[in-house]
Amino acid sequence: MTERLPTALGLAQRIEQHLTFSLGKAPATASTRDWRLALSRAVRDAVVVPWLAAEQRTQETGHKRVYYLSMEFLVGRLLQNAVANLGLEEAARAALAGLGADYETVVLDEPDAALGNGGLGRLAICFLDSLASLAIPAYGYGIRYAHGLFRQRFRGGWQVEEPETWLNEGYAWEFERPDASLPIGFGGRIAGRVGDRAAWAPDETVLAAAFDTPVPGWRGRWANTLRLWSARPLRAFDLAAFNRGDFVGAAAPEVLAETISRVLYPDDSTPQGRELRLKQEYFFTAASIRDILRRHLAEHGDLASLPDKVAIQLNDTHPAIAGPELVRLLVDEHRLAFHEAWQTARGCLSYTNHTLLPEALERWPAELLGRVLPRHLEIVERIDAKHRAALAAAGRRAAEELRIVAPSGDLGGEVRMGDLAFVMARRVNGVSALHTALMRRTVFRELEAAHPGRIVNQTNGVTPRRWLHGCNPPLRRLLTEAIGEAWVDDLERLEELVPLVEDAGFRAAFAAAKQANKERLAGYLSARCGVTVDPGALFDVQIKRIHEYKRQLLNILETAALANALRRDPGADWTPRVKIFGGKAAPGYADAKLIIKLINDVAASINGDPALRGRLQVVFPENYNVSMAEVMIPAADLSEQVSTAGMEASGTGNMKLMLNGALTVGTLDGANVEIGERVGPENIYVFGLDAEGAARHLPFHDGAAAIAATPPLAEVVAQIESGFFSPDDPRRYDRLVEKLRRDDRYLVTADFAAYFETQRRIDRDFRTADAWTRRAALNTAKGGWFSSDRTIRGYAREMWQVEPALQTGS
Ligand SMILES: *Cc1c(COP(=O)(O)O)cnc(C)c1O
């Protein structure tokens, strides 16, 4: 397929054609945006060839298909990624230069598509890249939110949220598929029954409109589809009302329907706006399941083969209604017996658990579920009863923990979506070795005992195409010179660097690549926030959602304590550091927003102190997103992964930073454990309580004693309380301090001393630059296992039973 890709000349012609005929612009008046859209269209043309060929091949061979259902896809920019995956980088650069435009400028003009909150949504996109690169036939299914994740601004150091408008200037990548639209119902009642079958009469129906974005794999050998659903009214508007002059009333159906795909819920841990959120979940899940059945019947003509030909992966519980929906369609519309429908559905479904935090486990009041989805509640209750009866018959006590519909304060109880997803799945996976082990011992202890072997581990990964090849050109060039280009398809080849790490010339080149990236970040920070940073300083990076369990608070308290130490001993030979933060807090998460304000207040106090100039600086650019991560990660010396042990399921930022040659300072949590195993204890900084130690302190930890026993911490806490960082409002942080003292459930005070001590060791180690570079290069060399290609091969083998449709690999 590759030979059909255009040359620079061919690409230039395509770009000009699109500029003229798709955009209606002349080269002389074309803006950067026009060039970007013209290039994007030209590149999309190039993707369509392998895309259609892949679809045709899948149909002809009757190959099994993978369907990845996810409420979130944190896409970022697509242009550069598509250009690189198709091997068109040189052609695109030359073509645009010939037309008088600059490739780098054009690529950076693309707005991020932020249809996700953080790690979970970004994982989904890394998986799509790997599925396509491995030539596994797959669809990603999600929601085409009109407004993705909010844009973050700081006003007086406080986070304020503004709507994101990624669709405003048109999205160059998608194809609307009017022929694939599906009606989706809500509410209503059961209108009749025959045996197992029921006729559901919804009282509200919207149309799910399909938009397809092609996802090309590495070298353009294969391409899959990301199909996003947009909600439309069944009838555009009420003509009778319009003719009566009731223009607002006439548009009511449109407004109601489109509410469903209007916003991404800006919270990845607690469901809000409950009824609308439930409708969103059902909307995209039901449309996807029906689309899957329709395609399967068209290709294979029977339902018995469904589990052999279809693997459906649920990314967290948000699409967990897929189980009851599939059973409903099989029973009510395709006349399967209930038990047969359940077994068929189970043969197709797998579920990924992403969290053990009790407040983040989805539960729906049965009353609400019954109101929005009456037939589904019946099915859930029946599954629950049959499941417990089967366990009782097998001699297992039907433990109270095994109820899917559990009694609760609410009338009628609540539906535990994690348990539902588990019972409906052939396989359930955790996302790191530690997380999976804890899952077996805690949330799913009873279900694991009842269904041994159903839980498997698939440690997360990240795509090396975006997170090394794409974002880090200096290091990419060095790696390719050193070991050839095969590492992009087979990231474990980075192991070949291990002997080179002993070569002084290689280390110098590695250090030069890092330095170039640090200078690029310095330029970015200067342009974006008007701050000047010293690229010779240690770049210490914590970028991720702001959450108490991720402990940005620990980091900023340590930063303030370091500032005190520097002020006290100005003559000492300190290691200059730039502390870099990036991240958004959920708009309703007051304590996380207060931590943002504290970081900004501490930053102002440190950055404004002449005694600290050239030694310590804190920068926190607003609106952290994928494209900001792509600039920060290659420039990091130190990767902050300091979550309370047992609370971070995996993390993927930790993997991106390791691959780009940052050393990790972290707790034994999530995939940090596996990072440490691979890189070796001398090349990672592990500190603090482990998961067992943390569990012994919880659920309740009195921080007052730990504060008193840790003088640098006690000093900072006293400063916060005295209004040192907030002279305009000395009481601002009372709540934060109170929580640290009385109810420090994230164990910030317990881990502070170990963290502070470890950071001082890092200061010393960083000064031996060559030894630091050696360890940084070993992090890159040992990071290959964290490719999402490895993760997807694991899912394919152990969960989906699917093979690639092409022989890949170089
Ligand atoms: C990778 C990534 C994340 C996840 O980061 P963690 O440190 O694993 O929480 C979140 N947001 C963006 C933009 C990312 O690229």
Side-chain angles (χ1 to χ4, degrees), residues 19 45 50 103 110 128 194 227 268 306 330 337 369 477 480 528 614 659 665 677 749-750 759 773 801 806:
L19 191 70
D45 290 350
Y103 175 70
E110 184 178 358
L128 292 189
V194 182
R227 174 162 284 186
D268 48 7
L306 201 66
L330 293 176
L369 196 67
R477 283 191 286 272
T480 301
R528 292 271 296 229
L659 273 171
V665 56
E677 281 166 9
T749 58
Q759 289 286 18
T773 298
Q801 276 78 49
L806 294 176

Short mmCIF file of all heavy atoms in Angstrom, two decimals, residues 19 45 50 103 110 128 194 227 268 306 330 337 369 477 480 528 614 659 665 677 749-750 759 773 801 806:
data_model
loop_
_atom_site.label_atom_id
_atom_site.label_comp_id
_atom_site.label_asym_id
_atom_site.label_seq_id
_atom_site.Cartn_x
_atom_site.Cartn_y
_atom_site.Cartn_z
N LEU A 19 -6.79 23.64 -1.55
CA LEU A 19 -6.86 25.07 -1.24
C LEU A 19 -7.86 25.74 -2.18
O LEU A 19 -8.74 26.50 -1.75
CB LEU A 19 -5.47 25.70 -1.40
CG LEU A 19 -5.36 27.12 -0.86
CD1 LEU A 19 -5.43 27.12 0.67
CD2 LEU A 19 -4.05 27.77 -1.31
N ASP A 45 -6.65 12.40 2.17
CA ASP A 45 -6.76 11.67 0.90
C ASP A 45 -5.80 10.48 0.89
O ASP A 45 -6.13 9.39 0.44
CB ASP A 45 -6.40 12.58 -0.29
CG ASP A 45 -7.45 13.65 -0.54
OD1 ASP A 45 -8.54 13.60 0.08
OD2 ASP A 45 -7.18 14.57 -1.36
N PRO A 50 -5.16 3.29 2.16
CA PRO A 50 -5.00 2.11 3.02
C PRO A 50 -6.24 1.82 3.86
O PRO A 50 -6.52 0.66 4.20
CB PRO A 50 -3.81 2.46 3.93
CG PRO A 50 -3.63 3.93 3.83
CD PRO A 50 -4.15 4.33 2.48
N TYR A 103 6.03 24.22 7.23
CA TYR A 103 5.41 23.02 7.79
C TYR A 103 5.23 23.11 9.31
O TYR A 103 4.15 22.83 9.83
CB TYR A 103 6.25 21.79 7.41
CG TYR A 103 5.77 20.51 8.02
CD1 TYR A 103 4.56 19.92 7.61
CD2 TYR A 103 6.50 19.86 9.01
CE1 TYR A 103 4.12 18.74 8.17
CE2 TYR A 103 6.06 18.68 9.58
CZ TYR A 103 4.87 18.12 9.16
OH TYR A 103 4.43 16.95 9.73
N GLU A 110 -2.91 23.60 14.53
CA GLU A 110 -4.07 22.72 14.74
C GLU A 110 -4.53 22.77 16.20
O GLU A 110 -3.72 22.61 17.10
CB GLU A 110 -3.70 21.28 14.36
CG GLU A 110 -4.87 20.31 14.45
CD GLU A 110 -4.50 18.88 14.02
OE1 GLU A 110 -3.35 18.65 13.62
OE2 GLU A 110 -5.38 18.01 14.12
N LEU A 128 -5.68 2.95 19.88
CA LEU A 128 -6.09 2.98 18.47
C LEU A 128 -4.86 3.05 17.57
O LEU A 128 -4.81 2.41 16.51
CB LEU A 128 -7.01 4.16 18.19
CG LEU A 128 -8.40 4.13 18.83
CD1 LEU A 128 -9.26 5.26 18.26
CD2 LEU A 128 -9.11 2.79 18.63
N VAL A 194 -43.92 -11.42 25.38
CA VAL A 194 -44.17 -12.80 24.96
C VAL A 194 -42.99 -13.61 25.46
O VAL A 194 -41.87 -13.44 24.97
CB VAL A 194 -44.26 -12.92 23.41
CG1 VAL A 194 -44.58 -14.36 23.03
CG2 VAL A 194 -45.27 -11.94 22.83
N ARG A 227 -15.13 5.98 15.23
CA ARG A 227 -16.50 6.40 14.91
C ARG A 227 -17.10 7.10 16.13
O ARG A 227 -17.29 6.48 17.18
CB ARG A 227 -17.35 5.22 14.49
CG ARG A 227 -18.83 5.57 14.28
CD ARG A 227 -19.59 4.54 13.47
NE ARG A 227 -19.28 4.66 12.04
CZ ARG A 227 -19.88 3.97 11.08
NH1 ARG A 227 -20.83 3.10 11.37
NH2 ARG A 227 -19.53 4.15 9.81
N ASP A 268 -13.27 13.03 35.88
CA ASP A 268 -13.03 11.62 35.56
C ASP A 268 -13.15 10.75 36.79
O ASP A 268 -12.73 9.62 36.80
CB ASP A 268 -11.67 11.43 34.88
CG ASP A 268 -10.57 12.16 35.63
OD1 ASP A 268 -10.84 12.69 36.73
OD2 ASP A 268 -9.44 12.21 35.11
N LEU A 306 -21.11 -14.72 16.66
CA LEU A 306 -20.76 -13.40 17.22
C LEU A 306 -19.49 -13.45 18.09
O LEU A 306 -18.56 -12.68 17.86
CB LEU A 306 -21.96 -12.84 17.99
CG LEU A 306 -21.98 -11.32 18.21
CD1 LEU A 306 -22.14 -10.56 16.90
CD2 LEU A 306 -23.10 -10.93 19.18
N LEU A 330 -30.62 -9.16 21.54
CA LEU A 330 -30.61 -10.57 21.16
C LEU A 330 -31.94 -11.24 21.53
O LEU A 330 -32.47 -12.04 20.78
CB LEU A 330 -29.43 -11.30 21.82
CG LEU A 330 -28.05 -10.86 21.33
CD1 LEU A 330 -26.94 -11.57 22.10
CD2 LEU A 330 -27.88 -11.11 19.82
N ALA A 337 -33.12 -17.11 23.36
CA ALA A 337 -33.53 -17.34 24.75
C ALA A 337 -32.61 -16.52 25.65
O ALA A 337 -31.47 -16.24 25.29
CB ALA A 337 -33.42 -18.82 25.09
N LEU A 369 -32.16 4.48 36.82
CA LEU A 369 -31.94 3.56 35.70
C LEU A 369 -33.29 3.06 35.17
O LEU A 369 -33.50 2.99 33.95
CB LEU A 369 -31.06 2.39 36.16
CG LEU A 369 -30.45 1.56 35.03
CD1 LEU A 369 -29.43 2.37 34.26
CD2 LEU A 369 -29.79 0.31 35.58
N ARG A 477 16.30 11.23 16.13
CA ARG A 477 17.42 11.16 15.18
C ARG A 477 18.60 10.39 15.77
O ARG A 477 19.20 9.54 15.11
CB ARG A 477 17.86 12.57 14.77
CG ARG A 477 16.91 13.20 13.75
CD ARG A 477 17.51 14.48 13.15
NE ARG A 477 17.48 15.59 14.11
CZ ARG A 477 16.43 16.43 14.25
NH1 ARG A 477 15.36 16.28 13.49
NH2 ARG A 477 16.47 17.40 15.13
N THR A 480 17.83 6.61 15.91
CA THR A 480 17.82 5.98 14.59
C THR A 480 19.24 5.86 14.04
O THR A 480 19.59 4.84 13.45
CB THR A 480 16.89 6.77 13.66
OG1 THR A 480 15.58 6.76 14.23
CG2 THR A 480 16.83 6.15 12.27
N ARG A 528 4.69 31.60 25.84
CA ARG A 528 3.36 31.36 26.41
C ARG A 528 3.12 32.14 27.69
O ARG A 528 2.01 32.60 27.94
CB ARG A 528 3.17 29.87 26.72
CG ARG A 528 3.08 29.00 25.50
CD ARG A 528 1.67 28.87 25.03
NE ARG A 528 0.84 28.21 25.99
CZ ARG A 528 0.03 27.21 25.71
NH1 ARG A 528 -0.02 26.72 24.49
NH2 ARG A 528 -0.73 26.68 26.64
N GLY A 614 17.85 32.37 39.98
CA GLY A 614 18.87 31.48 39.43
C GLY A 614 18.99 30.17 40.19
O GLY A 614 19.81 29.32 39.83
N LEU A 659 10.58 7.15 28.84
CA LEU A 659 11.05 6.91 27.47
C LEU A 659 11.85 8.09 26.93
O LEU A 659 12.76 7.90 26.12
CB LEU A 659 9.85 6.69 26.55
CG LEU A 659 9.33 5.27 26.44
CD1 LEU A 659 8.02 5.26 25.67
CD2 LEU A 659 10.36 4.39 25.74
N VAL A 665 11.06 10.25 40.16
CA VAL A 665 10.99 10.21 41.61
C VAL A 665 9.55 9.81 41.92
O VAL A 665 8.61 10.46 41.48
CB VAL A 665 11.39 11.55 42.28
CG1 VAL A 665 10.56 12.74 41.79
CG2 VAL A 665 11.29 11.43 43.79
N GLU A 677 11.32 -2.03 38.27
CA GLU A 677 11.83 -3.39 37.99
C GLU A 677 12.66 -3.41 36.72
O GLU A 677 13.66 -4.10 36.64
CB GLU A 677 10.66 -4.37 37.83
CG GLU A 677 10.07 -4.82 39.15
CD GLU A 677 8.72 -5.51 38.98
OE1 GLU A 677 8.31 -5.79 37.80
OE2 GLU A 677 8.07 -5.75 40.00
N THR A 749 1.71 14.15 54.86
CA THR A 749 2.59 14.39 56.00
C THR A 749 3.43 13.15 56.31
O THR A 749 4.59 13.27 56.70
CB THR A 749 1.76 14.77 57.26
OG1 THR A 749 0.83 13.71 57.53
CG2 THR A 749 0.99 16.06 57.02
N ALA A 750 2.86 11.98 56.09
CA ALA A 750 3.60 10.74 56.40
C ALA A 750 4.79 10.56 55.45
O ALA A 750 5.82 10.02 55.84
CB ALA A 750 2.66 9.54 56.31
N GLN A 759 14.74 14.27 47.44
CA GLN A 759 14.98 15.40 46.53
C GLN A 759 16.37 15.99 46.75
O GLN A 759 17.01 16.44 45.79
CB GLN A 759 13.91 16.49 46.73
CG GLN A 759 12.52 16.10 46.22
CD GLN A 759 12.40 16.12 44.70
OE1 GLN A 759 13.39 16.10 43.97
NE2 GLN A 759 11.16 16.16 44.21
N THR A 773 23.32 11.58 32.95
CA THR A 773 22.97 11.28 31.56
C THR A 773 22.97 9.77 31.31
O THR A 773 22.11 9.23 30.63
CB THR A 773 23.96 11.96 30.60
OG1 THR A 773 23.86 13.36 30.77
CG2 THR A 773 23.66 11.61 29.15
N GLN A 801 -8.56 -12.90 21.70
CA GLN A 801 -8.28 -14.00 20.77
C GLN A 801 -8.36 -13.52 19.31
O GLN A 801 -9.12 -14.03 18.51
CB GLN A 801 -9.25 -15.18 20.98
CG GLN A 801 -8.82 -16.13 22.08
CD GLN A 801 -9.13 -15.59 23.47
OE1 GLN A 801 -10.25 -15.15 23.73
NE2 GLN A 801 -8.15 -15.61 24.36
N LEU A 806 -2.53 -8.58 8.87
CA LEU A 806 -1.37 -8.54 7.98
C LEU A 806 -0.18 -8.97 8.80
O LEU A 806 -0.15 -8.80 10.01
CB LEU A 806 -1.07 -7.12 7.49
CG LEU A 806 -2.04 -6.38 6.59
CD1 LEU A 806 -1.51 -4.97 6.36
CD2 LEU A 806 -2.20 -7.11 5.28
#
